[in-house]
Structures are given as C-alpha cells and as structure tokens.
Amino acid sequence: MLAIKKQALGSASRILLRTNVLSGLTTRAARSYHSKLHKSSDEAIEGIKSGDTLLIGGFGLCGIPENLLKAIARRKDIQQITAVSNNAGTSDYGLGTLLQSRQIKRMISSYVGENKEFSRQYLGGELEVELLPQGTIAERVRSGGAGIPAFYTLTGVGTQVETGGIPIKYGKNGEVLISSTPRETKVFNGRKYLMEEGITGDYALVKAWKGDELGNLVFKYAASNFNAPMATAGKITIAEVEEIVPVGELKPNEIHIPGIHVHRIIKGETYEKRIEKLTLRRSADEENELPESMKQRIHIIKRAAREFKDGMYVNLGIGMP
C-alpha cells in the first residue's frame, strides 16, 4: 500500500512539474509574439511595384488609407497600377493624387463621383475604367477574399453589364478601344442570372480606427465601408490606423478584421478631416431662384434636419442637398 501511495505522489509531482513548464512556455509565447507594426507608411509599402493590382478601402474620402496613398504617390517608380476602389475620391486627395501623377492604368470602380480629373482622363482616353454596380464590386471583392471564384447575381441582367460593350478605354478621337465582355448567364428557378468573378489583389490598403501589433482591426461606424472586404482579399494587406493599442486590449467581440488577414500595420502619420463636397446653406432669395426639383429636395432635408440632435453622426447619401 505504501509503495502505491509513493507512486501516486510521484506521478502527481511530475504532472505539476509539466503544468508549470507548459504554463511558463505559454507565458513566454504570449510575450514573444511577432509584431506586424512598421515604422512608417514608406516602409509599409515596400514591395509594391509597377503593374500590381491594389485594393483600396474607403468610400469617397471616408475611411481611405490616406497616408499609404501619399507614400505611393511619392514613389514615382510605381506605375501602371490597377486600382480597385468604390471611387477615386477627389481630384486632389485620396486616389485622386495617384491619378494626378499618372500612376494608375486602370480603375475598377462603381462611379466617378466628384473627381473631375477621373472623368477627364477616362473620356480623354488616358485611363481605363471598368464600371461595375456598387453591390457587385463589393460582393466580387468579398468573394475573392472568401476563396469563391465566381457567383451568380440578378444585378445587371438585361443591361450592357450582361451583353458587354461598356467602354473601358476611349481613343483620342472618342472611339472605343476596349469594351467590357459579355457575362456568362444561367437560369435558376425560371430567372436568368449572370456570373461575376471574385476579385483579389496583390496588395490591399485599408484604414481602421484602432489596431494592435498583431494586426487586429476595429473600424469606426460607417468608415468600415469597403475596408472590411478589401482587407481579406489582398495577398498582402497593409493597414493604417489612428491608434495602436496594446495586444490583448481589444476584446474578441469588438474586432472586425482578425489579424490573420493583416500582414503589416502602421499608425498613420497625419489625418485630414476633408469634406468631399462642401455645401453651405443658401439664403431665402437664393432658394427661390432654384429649380422646383431642388426646392423639393431642400424641403425634404429641412424636415429630416429637425430630427437631428447635437453630437449625432449622420450619413448623408449621394444626392442629399
């Protein structure tokens, strides 16, 4: 009986010893994680080269990776970029700076927006533009990030999205040099759908509110927009954030993009709170001179404005006065 007790005590000691060793190993592993933090935006974009496809997060000027875009604009050796983004910001900010410097060969977007340089280069035959429905471009990028090669959608059926022929590049005399190709179609439950392929990129550039050295990201309100799907669809994802927090501070339930998708992260050097299209209140006399359609829109927004309270965040859609 005594021998059995001694054997049991010996086994228990070995188990406790192993537990302490494992605990020590776990603690050391937690302390020695691999940091993805880079010192600057210039350092973070190393490796991007001419001809690469870049997925750019943001919507207009909201949530754009402005510091990373400025770094690329400084690298005049990076040319012939294919940029996938909802739009191209304004003529002098965001992706517009890369259009100004002629570093972009093709834009894959859903609309031209307020960027006059974007539209001038497209119509002048200097820029290739592949226009896609907004929901389609979002789902194509999301599918690419999820490893889905293609999917079927109703959007675009019966239009030039299906039949092809949408001008991608014009010649100097206005002739169409490159146009979109027809989509493959299939009937499900008596309705026709067209096939869209997933989109991936060599690099994804995204902007988040907070992040840690492991690359975990948290977006702020509507600034998640196209950043979330873009972050998963790049071979290498580079994130810039407004604030770097210690590892472990972000609660698992508040993380929008896990660090496994992010390869490099920086704290943005500077941020500008630009307004894409500044609209000021008109006087009563100025309003009386407006077309009837504009007067109706002003009436709608005045009524909506009565619901606002100080401190509210308001997402004003395209077309609101």
Side-chain angles (χ1 to χ4, degrees), residues 229-258:
M230 297 293 189
T232 66
K235 293 176 183 176
I236 295 176
T237 295
I238 309 171
E240 64 171 77
V241 298
E242 295 181 28
E243 181 184 357
I244 296 288
V245 300
V247 173
E249 182 172 312
L250 299 177
K251 296 179 176 63
N253 287 341
E254 68 180 354
I255 293 171
H256 295 126
I257 296 295

Side-chain angles (χ1 to χ4, degrees), residues 122-142:
Y122 174 44
L123 296 176
E126 301 172 26
L127 178 70
E128 298 176 12
V129 177
E130 189 176 344
L131 290 172
L132 301 171
Q134 191 168 89
T136 297
I137 191 173
E139 182 60 14
R140 285 184 66 178
V141 173
R142 190 203 69 81

Side-chain angles (χ1 to χ4, degrees), residues 247-290:
V247 173
E249 182 172 312
L250 299 177
K251 296 179 176 63
N253 287 341
E254 68 180 354
I255 293 171
H256 295 126
I257 296 295
I260 192 171
H261 294 294
V262 179
H263 304 84
R264 305 172 191 171
I265 187 170
I266 63 160
K267 184 181 185 300
E269 291 90 342
T270 58
Y271 286 107
E272 297 182 38
K273 301 296 183 182
R274 290 206 178 192
I275 298 174
E276 188 170 351
K277 184 177 181 181
L278 181 63
T279 302
L280 302 176
R281 184 172 183 176
R282 299 180 178 90
S283 66
D285 291 337
E286 289 174 324
E287 286 187 10
N288 288 332
E289 299 296 322
L290 295 172

Side-chain angles (χ1 to χ4, degrees), residues 7-63:
Q7 185 178 1
L9 286 172
S11 298
S13 299
R14 286 194 293 273
I15 290 171
L16 288 172
L17 180 61
R18 287 172 187 166
T19 302
N20 290 334
V21 170
L22 288 172
S23 176
L25 286 173
T26 304
T27 304
R28 287 195 293 274
R31 291 172 184 162
S32 61
Y33 60 82
H34 172 66
S35 174
K36 300 175 182 179
L37 183 63
H38 285 249
K39 295 178 181 178
S40 67
S41 52
D42 292 308
E43 179 184 292
I45 67 163
E46 281 299 321
I48 296 178
K49 62 186 184 304
S50 295
D52 278 348
T53 295
L54 306 184
L55 311 180
I56 317 292
F59 187 103
L61 296 182
C62 175

Side-chain angles (χ1 to χ4, degrees), residues 127-182:
L127 178 70
E128 298 176 12
V129 177
E130 189 176 344
L131 290 172
L132 301 171
Q134 191 168 89
T136 297
I137 191 173
E139 182 60 14
R140 285 184 66 178
V141 173
R142 190 203 69 81
S143 295
I148 299 170
F151 61 92
Y152 285 92
T153 177
L154 281 168
T155 306
V157 171
T159 71
Q160 276 192 300
V161 176
E162 175 192 342
T163 60
I166 300 175
I168 291 177
K169 184 175 183 181
Y170 288 101
K172 296 190 181 297
N173 298 319
E175 72 279 16
V176 177
L177 299 181
I178 304 174
S179 59
S180 64
T181 57

